[in-house]
């Protein structure tokens, strides 16, 4: 959509307004019959706190590019879901707003997928704060225990610098892992800058880990989505995997698939 083309936004607003349920009168259904479905423009303007004149111009595609505040008011007035809100912002020429916090519950279908891959490959799920949320049986056999003590025990960045379980497992590739862990934590903090959990973890790692301070001060931002990892496992010996990361943006969950290499 061109920067001065508001036809897509106008069409979407008209569609959403037509799908809205007209308000009741004192809790009772309205007795008057409407010629069109949905809310009137005045009712929509009242819901969003936008003047009816400006809202009308938005629906006609004649208003200037709306601000993020206007788009936020529209999203709230229409009670849009996360994907719907993102679509509205893109139509308005803005990047979608970030989630206030990652989702805490893994989709049931994704959990079933993990179980279905129990005999095929290790799979883990972590959120945008780098907390491990789930893993299948193969991943539990391959990776160190995730249940420790303390508020950050399930966090991958914290495990990287506060313990040696992951660096021991990675052997020669541990240095790259530490670079990525610090960089991913930087990315998480840029996405959730007011998150108390992340800020507290950053403070603890800064105070207790000289190694973390060294990597953190490099200021790197690395976001690998594919990699090859060779693990030095106490039971299975040396094993190699191709790693792929898949993202669920609605919940900010990351699925990590460990595909065994043919030469493993």
């Amino acid at each position: 959509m061109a920067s001065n083309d508001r036809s897509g936004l106008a069409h979407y607003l008209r569609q959403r307004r037509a799908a809205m349920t007209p308000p009741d009168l004192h809790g009772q259904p309205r007795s008057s019959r409407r010629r069109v479905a949905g809310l009137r423009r005045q009712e929509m303007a009242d819901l969003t706190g936008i003047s009816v004149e400006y809202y009308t111009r938005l629906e006609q595609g004649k208003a200037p590019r709306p601000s993020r505040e206007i788009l936020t008011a529209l999203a709230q007035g229409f009670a849009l879901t996360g994907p719907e809100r993102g679509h509205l912002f893109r139509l308005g020429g803005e990047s979608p707003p970030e989630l206030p916090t990652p989702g805490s519950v893994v989709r049931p279908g994704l959990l079933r997928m993990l179980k279905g891959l129990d005999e095929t490959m290790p799979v883990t799920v972590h959120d945008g704060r780098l907390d491990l949320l789930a893993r299948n049986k193969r991943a539990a056999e391959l990776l160190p225990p995730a249940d420790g003590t303390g508020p950050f025990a399930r966090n991958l960045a914290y495990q990287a610098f506060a313990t040696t379980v992951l660096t021991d497992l990675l052997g020669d590739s541990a240095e790259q892992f530490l670079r990525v862990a610090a960089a991913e934590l930087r990315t998480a903090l840029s996405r959730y800058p007011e998150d108390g959990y992340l800020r507290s973890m950053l403070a603890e790692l800064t105070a207790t880990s000289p190694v973390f301070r060294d990597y953190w001060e490099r200021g790197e931002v690395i976001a690998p989505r594919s990699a090859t990892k060779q693990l030095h496992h106490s039971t299975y010996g040396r094993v190699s995997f191709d790693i792929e990361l898949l993202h669920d943006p609605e919940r900010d969950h990351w699925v990590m698939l460990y595909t065994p290499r043919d030469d493993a």
Side-chain angles (χ1 to χ4, degrees):
M1 185 179 69
S3 61
N4 61 348
D5 180 8
R6 300 287 169 257
S7 60
L9 175 63
H11 181 66
Y12 188 61
L13 293 177
R14 293 194 300 269
Q15 283 184 321
R16 297 304 309 181
R17 180 167 63 86
M20 296 287 283
T21 302
D24 295 345
L25 183 63
H26 303 300
Q28 300 298 321
R30 297 181 64 97
S31 58
S32 61
R33 301 183 65 182
R34 297 186 172 210
R35 294 191 214 174
V36 295
L39 298 187
R40 298 186 176 100
R41 283 174 175 163
Q42 180 64 63
E43 292 166 337
M44 202 65 241
D46 292 341
L47 273 178
T48 58
I50 300 171
S51 73
V52 67
E53 293 81 8
Y54 181 65
Y55 180 80
T56 299
R57 294 177 67 197
L58 283 172
E59 279 203 1
Q60 293 173 342
K62 298 178 180 179
R65 176 174 171 172
S67 66
R68 293 186 70 84
E69 290 74 18
I70 291 293
L71 293 171
T72 298
L74 290 168
Q76 292 173 345
F78 284 115
L80 300 183
T81 65
E84 291 168 343
R85 184 173 60 250
H87 182 62
L88 173 72
F89 269 71
R90 284 187 288 269
L91 288 174
E94 294 284 343
S95 59
E98 299 284 5
L99 294 173
T101 186
S104 59
V105 178
V106 180
R107 296 180 187 279
L110 181 54
L111 291 175
R112 287 193 291 272
M113 185 193 81
L114 264 65
K115 184 173 179 59
L117 293 173
D118 272 345
E119 305 304 325
T120 305
M121 67 173 65
V123 186
T124 63
V125 181
H126 65 271
D127 65 16
R129 299 195 301 185
L130 306 178
D131 274 356
L132 180 67
L133 301 179
R135 58 183 181 176
N136 67 355
K137 185 178 73 173
R138 286 291 300 274
E141 294 170 351
L142 178 70
L143 302 173
D147 298 318
T149 59
F152 313 122
R154 297 180 68 83
N155 189 276
L156 300 181
Y158 186 81
Q159 287 187 1
F161 294 101
T163 76
T164 62
V165 289
L166 292 177
T167 51
D168 289 346
L169 183 66
L170 287 164
D172 295 340
S173 58
E175 196 274 338
Q176 176 65 12
F177 168 66
L178 293 176
R179 288 184 61 202
V180 171
E184 291 282 15
L185 179 56
R186 187 180 301 279
T187 299
L189 277 161
S190 70
R191 186 165 191 181
Y192 305 107
E194 303 304 321
D195 189 281
Y197 172 86
L198 288 173
R199 294 169 70 89
S200 295
M201 186 171 65
L202 173 64
E204 179 171 328
L205 288 174
T206 301
T208 60
S209 173
V211 176
F212 172 76
R213 291 197 297 270
D214 174 60
Y215 282 93
W216 185 256
E217 289 168 3
R218 300 183 188 187
E220 291 182 311
V221 178
I222 308 171
R225 299 295 172 252
S226 298
T228 298
K229 287 187 179 180
Q230 189 172 83
L231 308 182
H232 302 267
H233 199 273
S234 58
T235 301
Y236 303 110
R238 183 168 295 187
V239 288
S240 298
F241 296 90
D242 287 324
I243 309 296
E244 291 293 333
L245 276 169
L246 308 178
H247 189 221
D248 171 10
E250 186 175 349
R251 302 192 183 195
D252 195 14
H253 289 176
W254 292 91
V255 183
M256 184 176 292
L257 301 114
Y258 292 70
T259 304
R261 291 178 63 85
D262 293 338
D263 57 356

